Amino acid sequence: MTATFRLTTTLIRSSTPILYAAHLSRAYSTARSKRATKSVNTAVWGGAVAVAGIAATFYAAKVGRMPSPVGEIHCDVVSIDRQRRLAGPITAKDSMRLRMEQYIKDLQNRIVAEIENIDGTQFKRDLWQRKEGGDGISCVLQDGNILEKAGVMVSIVYGKLPKAAVLQMRNDRGKDLEVDGPSPFFAAGISIIMHPKNPNAPTVHMNYRYFEVENEDGSPKMAWFGGGADLTPSYLFEEDAVHFHKTLKAVCDKHDKEYYPKFKKWCDDYFHLKHRNETRGVGGIFFDDLDDKSPEEIFAFVRDMGNAFVPSYVPILKRRKDIAFTEEMKQWQQLRRGRYVEFNLIWDRGTKFGLQTPGSRTESILMSLPLTARWEYMYEPKMGGREEKLLEVLRKPREWV
């Protein structure tokens, strides 16, 4: 059976291949979210599917039969995958598409449950579907007891890259793709962002994604993984940075001793506000286009990294969430959040691609931004204070482990 569909996309913050695919596909339909009963108010969250940009991903819901700039896409893989999901359960013998999808949805549930237990507030779930080509679940929490704003987002998207997109992937990303016509693609990702209320507790971002360019029969022609996790404190607790990096390093070392130093530097270089000459936070790891090992080996690495989110961040959140703070500390947190906004809007590739794309959903792209932020003209922190200590680390990234 051949499934015919037109791609409808909305981008999310995250420097991910998913965003590249959405930006480059140029295949848009009029979209309107089909909400679950407990969906979030669309004026604020309306179908947000993150990213963090990243992190990471699409929001799409098909209505009507609007013309597509690249024409109709005919591909059996969507129907085949849909039938396989219904038959279940997904096993190691299934395609990487289905296994990645199952993994990130399970990870989303586990992380949401853990954070709900800590915060005492439930996430609101916004479920959406593209009948012929994908689905997603947006879990969001706003004005909780501990967290001011948080999102745990999953999206699964099928589509086609037009010839122009393939050319750009060849030129800008070094992908050895044929350019004689559109190429089918698949993208799946999970993206997490958490902004605590207490200025002693750091913001955290995580994103992991899988992208494949396919043959017409749905088999992968080329595939790679990307992602990472990073910590952004307003006040530096060195033991927190050490714990976060040590947890990530242990997972990296399990798979490849070269991963952590390589991906740590990549993270410091990427999350860098050039106009401020400072990093966004104390870093973590970041990688893209990872295909240096077999898909099975990299998938195992990505799973372990995703599973490391709770042990890397939750102990820090628990230690800091109830520490007393002053109004002055809260003001500093607002200023640091302003820096977070600056990075996402000025330097983050995914955000820039999304905002430049006609028909994109701005609310979704900007989901990763904090609920509140502040800018003060020519603000200088007190000399010798904790604020200055943080800036020293941001201006000269440190080796934490």
Side-chain angles (χ1 to χ4, degrees):
M1 179 184 297
T2 298
T4 302
F5 62 92
R6 298 180 179 88
L7 181 65
T8 304
T9 61
T10 298
L11 302 180
I12 284 295
R13 176 255 179 261
S14 169
S15 53
T16 70
I18 294 176
L19 292 176
Y20 284 111
H23 173 67
L24 298 172
S25 68
R26 306 291 186 187
Y28 299 95
S29 299
T30 301
R32 180 175 62 202
S33 166
K34 296 181 179 180
R35 300 165 181 79
T37 302
K38 296 184 178 180
S39 65
V40 183
N41 185 333
T42 56
V44 181
W45 294 105
V49 182
V51 67
I54 145 196
T57 53
F58 287 108
Y59 177 85
K62 181 172 181 287
V63 292
R65 291 285 177 178
M66 298 295 290
S68 167
V70 296
E72 293 186 343
I73 301 170
H74 300 273
C75 183
D76 289 334
V77 68
V78 180
S79 294
I80 293 172
D81 284 358
R82 184 189 302 118
Q83 293 169 11
R84 183 65 190 91
R85 288 189 207 97
L86 292 174
I90 304 302
T91 71
K93 295 181 179 180
D94 284 298
S95 68
M96 187 61 71
R97 294 188 304 272
L98 292 173
R99 294 164 65 196
M100 181 66 173
E101 173 184 352
Q102 177 180 264
Y103 169 69
I104 59 178
K105 288 181 177 179
D106 175 67
L107 179 62
Q108 180 186 46
N109 287 332
R110 288 186 280 124
I111 291 174
V112 165
E114 182 71 26
I115 298 303
E116 284 180 342
N117 184 55
I118 297 172
D119 191 280
T121 306
Q122 288 191 334
F123 282 78
K124 296 182 179 180
R125 291 175 179 261
D126 180 19
L127 283 69
W128 53 268
Q129 287 188 338
R130 289 180 67 248
K131 183 174 60 177
E132 297 92 344
D135 61 60
I137 307 171
S138 303
C139 296
V140 296
L141 186 158
Q142 186 167 292
D143 281 326
N145 297 312
I146 307 301
L147 295 167
E148 187 172 281
K149 185 179 179 184
V152 186
M153 313 294 195
V154 160
S155 72
I156 313 297
V157 174
Y158 300 81
K160 269 202 173 183
L161 296 172
K163 182 176 180 179
V166 176
L167 283 170
Q168 186 164 348
M169 294 185 80
R170 282 174 58 96
N171 297 334
D172 296 347
R173 300 172 70 88
K175 299 302 180 184
D176 185 17
L177 296 171
E178 297 178 3
V179 295
D180 56 350
S183 295
F185 79 91
F186 168 84
I190 181 170
S191 186
I192 299 170
I193 184 72
M194 297 189 180
H195 295 289
K197 289 183 174 181
N198 194 316
N200 290 291
T203 286
V204 70
H205 162 251
M206 186 193 84
N207 175 275
Y208 292 105
R209 63 264 180 187
Y210 172 69
F211 185 92
E212 68 182 29
V213 177
E214 302 166 337
N215 296 304
E216 288 298 330
D217 64 359
S219 60
K221 178 188 300 183
M222 187 177 298
W224 58 88
F225 292 84
D230 62 285
L231 197 68
T232 305
S234 297
Y235 285 93
L236 178 65
F237 290 89
E238 294 191 7
E239 62 266 37
D240 292 351
V242 170
H243 170 82
F244 189 78
H245 279 265
K246 185 178 292 186
T247 305
L248 300 186
K249 183 178 185 298
V251 177
C252 288
D253 288 351
K254 174 184 174 182
H255 294 269
D256 192 320
K257 295 288 186 180
E258 295 183 0
Y259 274 177
Y260 175 76
K262 177 181 177 181
F263 297 160
K264 193 269 184 186
K265 184 179 186 305
W266 200 340
C267 184
D268 290 338
D269 291 344
Y270 181 76
F271 292 104
H272 182 247
L273 288 81
K274 299 178 179 65
H275 63 291
R276 299 284 188 181
N277 192 30
E278 61 186 44
T279 57
R280 188 172 75 176
V282 296
I285 67 164
F286 178 84
F287 60 91
D288 214 345
D289 296 351
L290 190 62
D291 58 0
D292 61 335
K293 302 181 189 303
S294 71
E296 291 297 330
E297 290 176 291
I298 302 176
F299 183 41
F301 169 62
V302 168
R303 290 199 308 269
D304 285 348
M305 291 306 310
N307 295 340
F309 175 80
V310 169
S312 69
Y313 181 66
V314 167
I316 297 173
L317 183 61
K318 288 181 176 180
R319 282 199 298 264
R320 307 305 172 196
K321 66 184 179 66
D322 297 320
I323 297 178
F325 59 89
T326 65
E327 184 59 34
E328 184 179 20
M329 293 173 66
K330 189 66 179 178
Q331 179 173 310
W332 172 251
Q333 181 193 48
Q334 300 298 295
L335 293 169
R336 293 315 308 169
R337 285 178 173 176
R339 297 290 202 268
Y340 202 95
V341 172
E342 289 177 19
F343 175 82
N344 283 24
L345 297 185
I346 298 173
W347 298 110
D348 186 74
R349 295 196 305 257
T351 302
K352 289 194 291 185
F353 280 146
L355 294 176
Q356 293 169 1
T357 302
S360 61
R361 187 179 182 83
T362 302
E363 289 292 335
S364 298
I365 298 166
L366 303 181
M367 192 289 303
S368 64
L369 299 180
L371 187 62
T372 59
R374 183 182 180 95
W375 285 264
E376 289 189 20
Y377 181 69
M378 299 297 288
Y379 179 88
E380 291 292 336
K382 294 180 181 179
M383 296 293 292
R386 295 177 64 194
E387 295 83 3
E388 186 180 36
K389 183 179 180 181
L390 174 70
L391 290 178
E392 290 175 357
V393 170
L394 300 183
R395 290 167 181 167
K396 189 175 181 181
R398 186 184 302 180
E399 297 299 323
W400 297 104
V401 292

